Every structure is written in structure tokens, then in C-alpha cells.
Amino acid sequence: MSTHADVVTLTYPLDTVTVAGHWIWDCPRDVSDGLATCLFRRAFDASELGASPKLRISADSRYRAYLNGRLISRGPCRGTPEHYHFETIDLTGLLRQGRNVLAVEVRWYGKHFAQAEVHAVAGLWAMLGDASRPGAIVTDEAWKVLRTDACASDPIPAMRPLNSYCAVDPCEDVDLRRLPSGWTEVDFDDASWTPAVAFTEAYGRYQQLKHTHWFHELIGRSVPMMEEMPIAPAGCLEQGRITLGSDPRQVRSIEGELHPAAGGAAAFWADPAEPLTFAEPGTHYVIVNMGAL
């Protein structure tokens, strides 16, 4: 049994780099009410970043960053405008020789974001480089941006008593068919995308006259990233066709009559994957056993 004398020390190095660059979006100072999603791309040559380069990145409200199609970071860690966090990602061993592309999906929650969140205005900030030149590449007009309507707020209110409170509503409705196919990859054609708008300079904590800037004061993330690892399913329990009683996009729980197919389903998650095909048109379902929580 542990005693009060036992001391557990958790250490995490705080990144104190000097912030450079600008916050960017597809328009100046977006404080719109509703959910908005912008996709960003920045191509560069690995030689531009020097030895042992790092990516520093943050966004309002949330981002997912991909390097050459590979997810390398998501965030930012929760904070306040006076302590708005950025993540630091070591790119050593992740870059390929020659051309690379950093692609970032940024989700702006809208002015009516959840009470547990503290945000100000939509935007993306990033900085890439090594120790001698950490801001070799920064967010500016050289980035390409595309606003997508693939992600929308779920308009269906949660079913709850009139005088009650729910901390999870609203949800999101994501239509993957409306996302550009392969937009995170190096050879994706982004010629039709527009240049990003740099609408305010980025500042660090107490970087400007030691008072709160009107936007964000960036500070290094103070806790480690959550561990992420791929988990392959243990198997497929069942697959078949479902007869729905109503449009599944308009209900909170999908109910209907299941028509299981004969035989087992293909291992469509394997490497190489086995294609999963359906013999007849309609709405189909697949029940996958992940094997672990």
C-alpha cells in the first residue's frame, strides 16, 4: 500500500519556442454562428526545414493534421485565450525526400460552442522548422484552403424532458461523399483551391507588451498527447440488409428489420483487404467485433 511519503512526478517538457507567422482562414475574422470546416494544404521540400524539424500547430476550434496522408496530430489541448495551446510534433523520420504536403482539417464550432470549450474566432496556426530556424515555414497566404460543407451540425434535437439539461447535444452530420477524395495526399490536385487569408499575427504568451492580446496567446501543450495505436477487428459478427422504418438521418436510433446474409463477411480491414460486396441493392449493415475496448 502506498503512503503519503510516496511521490510520483510527471514531467512533460514545455515548448517555449518564439511564435511566428499568422492565423489563417478562408476569410477575415470568422465568428459565424454555425459549424464551419476548412481544409488546408501546404506543399514544401524537406530540405526547407533543416535537420531534426518540428511542427508546432494549433487551431480554433479543433484540427487534425496529416503529413503525406498520415495522421500525425490532433488538437489543440484545451485552454483559454490567455493560455491557448499548441502541439509540438517531431518530424524526424516522417518526411520523405523532395516534396511533402502538410494537410490540416480545421473545425470551427461556431459562437455557440459547448460550455466546456473556450474559443474566440476560427483559424489555423502552424510553424515548421528545426532548432536553428523553427519558423522556416509558417501559416501565411502560401497555404491553400477549401471550405467544405461535408460537415454540418445535426439539426435533430436530443430527446429529453423539457426542463432538463444535456451536455452532448448537438452532434455532427458528416457526409464523406462531399469530402475531396485523397485531399491529404501529396499528389492531390489543389489547383482550384484558394490562397488562405492571413488575418492576424500570431503571438505567444506575454509576447506583446505583456498583456492579453485580443485573439490568442499561444503556449506549448502542458500534458502529453493521448496514446493512439491501430486496433484490427477480431472479426465480423454479422452482415446483411436492413429494412428501415424511416430515414436514418432523421432519427436518434436506427431501428428496422435485419436480413442477415448467408456466410461470413470478408475481412475488409485486413492488409491486403478482402472486398466486402453486397448481392442486392438497399441499405446494408455490418456488425464488427473489435475484440477490445
Side-chain angles (χ1 to χ4, degrees):
M1 180 178 292
S2 62
T3 67
H4 288 16
D6 296 335
V7 177
V8 177
T9 303
L10 300 179
T11 59
Y12 181 77
L14 188 66
D15 191 341
T16 58
V17 69
T18 299
V19 170
H22 289 75
W23 286 85
I24 61 174
W25 197 240
D26 70 334
C27 62
R29 193 166 170 76
D30 185 356
V31 289
S32 54
D33 287 349
L35 193 71
T37 301
C38 279
L39 311 179
F40 295 87
R41 284 173 55 89
R42 178 62 160 88
F44 60 92
D45 193 281
S47 61
E48 299 179 56
L49 303 186
S52 303
K54 294 182 179 180
L55 164 67
R56 279 99 173 176
I57 184 169
S58 186
D60 196 335
S61 306
R62 286 288 184 271
Y63 76 85
R64 286 188 291 193
Y66 301 83
L67 180 64
N68 303 327
R70 174 184 175 181
L71 178 66
I72 60 171
S73 181
R74 68 176 87 223
C77 178
R78 282 182 174 179
T80 66
E82 296 81 12
H83 293 81
Y84 207 85
H85 294 108
F86 63 83
E87 277 69 46
T88 303
I89 301 94
D90 188 352
L91 300 182
T92 303
L94 299 181
L95 297 171
R96 61 179 66 176
Q97 286 188 341
R99 190 173 188 267
N100 292 261
V101 168
L102 178 65
V104 186
E105 176 187 7
V106 179
R107 193 75 49 85
W108 161 246
Y109 290 156
K111 288 194 300 183
H112 305 294
F113 40 75
Q115 292 178 345
E117 301 286 344
V118 180
H119 299 284
V121 54
L124 167 68
W125 172 82
M127 189 168 73
L128 300 92
D130 63 4
S132 63
R133 194 179 170 214
I137 294 177
V138 296
T139 36
D140 54 20
E141 293 88 347
W143 291 60
K144 292 290 194 72
V145 61
L146 174 73
R147 182 177 291 232
T148 175
D149 60 357
C151 309
S153 295
D154 187 341
I156 307 301
M159 297 179 184
R160 57 178 185 264
L162 181 61
N163 296 319
S164 65
Y165 176 80
C166 180
V168 297
D169 188 55
C171 297
E172 294 179 8
D173 188 343
V174 181
D175 188 344
L176 299 179
R177 298 168 299 180
R178 304 179 74 89
L179 284 175
S181 179
W183 72 273
T184 65
E185 303 293 339
V186 173
D187 52 2
F188 175 81
D189 183 7
D190 59 12
S192 62
W193 292 28
T194 59
V197 176
F199 60 92
T200 189
E201 189 175 352
Y203 292 98
R205 180 74 172 143
Y206 294 145
Q207 188 171 326
Q208 186 191 38
L209 304 178
K210 292 188 179 296
H211 66 77
T212 301
H213 191 246
W214 68 269
F215 193 53
H216 299 113
E217 294 185 40
L218 289 165
I219 187 171
R221 183 187 179 104
S222 56
V223 294
M225 299 281 285
M226 295 286 287
E227 181 181 4
E228 296 188 38
M229 64 178 63
I231 300 176
C236 183
L237 297 180
E238 186 176 291
Q239 64 98 359
R241 185 169 51 85
I242 179 173
T243 302
L244 298 172
S246 59
D247 186 344
R249 295 170 297 180
Q250 303 300 317
V251 294
R252 283 294 175 181
S253 61
I254 297 178
E255 298 178 352
E257 183 181 350
L258 300 182
H259 309 276
F268 53 88
W269 56 82
D271 187 14
E274 300 176 19
L276 179 60
T277 58
F278 301 103
E280 54 184 324
T283 301
H284 295 261
Y285 71 95
V286 179
I287 303 176
V288 177
N289 174 20
M290 291 304 298
L293 182 61

